[in-house]
Amino acid sequence: MRDVATAAGVSPMTVSNVLTGRRATSPETRRVVLEASERLGYRLNVAARSLRRGRTGVVGLAVPSLDAPYFGQLAGRLAARLAREGLRLVVEQTGASPEGEAAAVRDSRGGAYDGLVLSAVGLGGDVRALAGDLPVVALGERQDLRRVDHVGMANTEGARAAAALLLERGCRRLAVVGSPPWEQLDEPGGHDGDAFRLRARGVRDAVRAVPGARARAVTFGTALEDGVRCGRALAAGEPVDGVVALTDTLALGVLRGLADSGLRVPDDVLVVGFDDVREAATSVPSLSSVAPGHDAMVEEVVRLLLRRMADPAEKEEDVVAPFSVVERESTRRA
């Protein structure tokens, strides 16, 4: 680095600022430093720098799936926010299994990451015992996780508000797509932190508050194709006038399935989803959805992670992000 500084006629600190992007430099200074670095064949030794600092500058994000729009957009938001703190993001897929999630935590302890953001679906128990000194923030569904910072969604409240929107629009025969069987919602032994169970309970609460309203659970899976099959099944079965899909992925599939079967949204059926992914605003019709507070969640995740990195002994926090219902064409009748 000193050789590059001498060749470029700048200080070693300026070379460091250019190559790491830690501080802004003028375009001309950047050009001169990069040309000198290329001419001399200099590259930052990231491993040596990490050993010296005791930090890698990398945060891991472990999510159930990489092909779901919600998790892809979450990764983009989190990467952009961490970059403002001089940190990079590495994303891995756990397969939504306890083994995959536990492996993500254990492997991260090996020093690859300065911290881990974990979207847990199957993992439970004492996370601190598994993570050791690794700073971990659990995101989304807590289930029975213990001794870990957590940033969650208002799953029950958000779904209740989504169902209330349909009920206000006159719907009385609802289908809840993605819900566990209705009779299982309160059975012991399940994960009370499961998002689908919590959201289904919210819909049930809203329906129970309106005389004459009823709802039934419809479950085909959680993928986009499952939503398509569900939409076709709804069109062929007992009539419904409103659909609460417990994720936007399912809701977008339902829109396609209903259209394939000749039912029009919102003329024949109203549809609302949950997650407010970007595709919700561009579908035809555009999809009403529960926005779970994406930006607020990311801000809280980064705050808790940085706090935990600075002081591992800090007391754990459990934060719930504010939500809103974004109404679009799928719930607006002429």
Side-chain angles (χ1 to χ4, degrees), residues 1-328:
M1 190 174 290
R2 284 193 295 270
D3 292 339
V4 172
T6 299
V10 298
S11 69
M13 180 57 70
T14 298
V15 174
S16 176
N17 289 338
V18 169
L19 297 183
T20 63
R22 186 167 54 244
R23 292 183 181 177
T25 56
S26 70
E28 178 62 18
T29 299
R30 178 176 173 79
R31 182 188 65 79
V32 170
V33 169
L34 291 178
E35 287 180 354
S37 299
E38 187 67 26
R39 188 167 64 251
L40 297 176
Y42 176 71
R43 298 290 184 274
L44 280 175
N45 188 328
V46 177
R49 185 176 61 177
S50 298
L51 285 173
R52 184 173 69 251
R53 295 178 177 177
R55 291 283 178 87
T56 65
V58 177
V59 170
L61 171 64
V63 297
S65 171
L66 294 176
D67 60 0
Y70 171 76
F71 292 116
Q73 292 167 27
L74 166 67
R77 288 184 174 95
L78 188 56
R81 180 62 184 85
L82 287 170
R84 288 159 49 190
E85 305 295 335
L87 297 168
R88 298 176 61 193
L89 185 71
V90 172
V91 186
E92 58 183 292
Q93 180 172 270
T94 64
S97 71
E99 297 78 14
E101 291 166 2
V105 177
R106 284 196 303 268
D107 293 346
S108 300
R109 289 179 59 181
Y113 303 148
D114 290 339
L116 177 69
V117 180
L118 174 66
S119 181
V121 175
L123 187 66
D126 188 341
V127 176
R128 185 75 61 83
L130 187 63
D133 293 332
L134 175 72
V136 176
V137 177
L139 178 64
E141 315 329 322
R142 187 182 182 95
Q143 297 193 9
D144 58 349
L145 296 178
R146 300 190 305 275
R147 294 212 303 161
V148 64
D149 291 310
H150 174 248
V151 179
M153 300 178 184
N155 285 299
T156 302
E157 296 82 358
R160 185 186 298 122
L165 173 64
L166 299 189
L167 295 165
E168 289 170 4
R169 297 291 180 270
C171 297
R172 291 298 180 268
R173 303 182 306 277
L174 304 187
V176 190
V177 175
S179 169
W182 217 241
E183 65 275 7
Q184 294 181 11
L185 291 186
D186 296 317
E187 285 185 357
H191 290 297
D192 278 343
D194 180 283
F196 291 93
R197 177 177 289 215
L198 292 171
R199 293 175 188 179
R201 286 175 180 169
V203 177
R204 184 186 62 183
D205 292 346
V207 170
R208 284 178 172 176
V210 177
R214 53 194 174 91
R216 57 189 174 95
V218 183
T219 306
F220 280 77
T222 60
L224 181 68
E225 295 78 10
D226 297 317
V228 176
R229 291 194 297 127
C230 184
R232 292 170 180 167
L234 288 173
E238 180 183 350
V240 297
D241 54 13
V243 175
V244 180
L246 301 186
T247 70
D248 280 355
T249 297
L250 285 171
L252 293 168
V254 167
L255 291 180
R256 178 74 264 174
L258 292 173
D260 289 345
S261 304
L263 287 181
R264 299 167 299 171
V265 177
D267 295 337
D268 301 318
V269 185
L270 303 188
V271 178
V272 63
F274 198 118
D275 288 332
D276 197 35
V277 299
R278 293 190 182 100
E279 291 81 356
T282 56
S283 63
V284 179
S286 57
L287 177 66
S288 299
S289 182
V290 178
H294 299 293
D295 293 337
M297 291 176 68
V298 167
E299 285 295 328
E300 289 298 322
V301 165
V302 173
R303 178 184 69 82
L304 291 172
L305 193 64
L306 294 177
R307 187 191 69 141
R308 182 69 55 192
M309 289 165 60
D311 184 359
E314 285 279 5
K315 181 177 174 60
E316 296 86 7
E317 287 189 36
D318 195 346
V319 180
V320 177
F323 75 92
S324 61
V325 178
V326 181
E327 187 170 13
R328 300 189 178 96

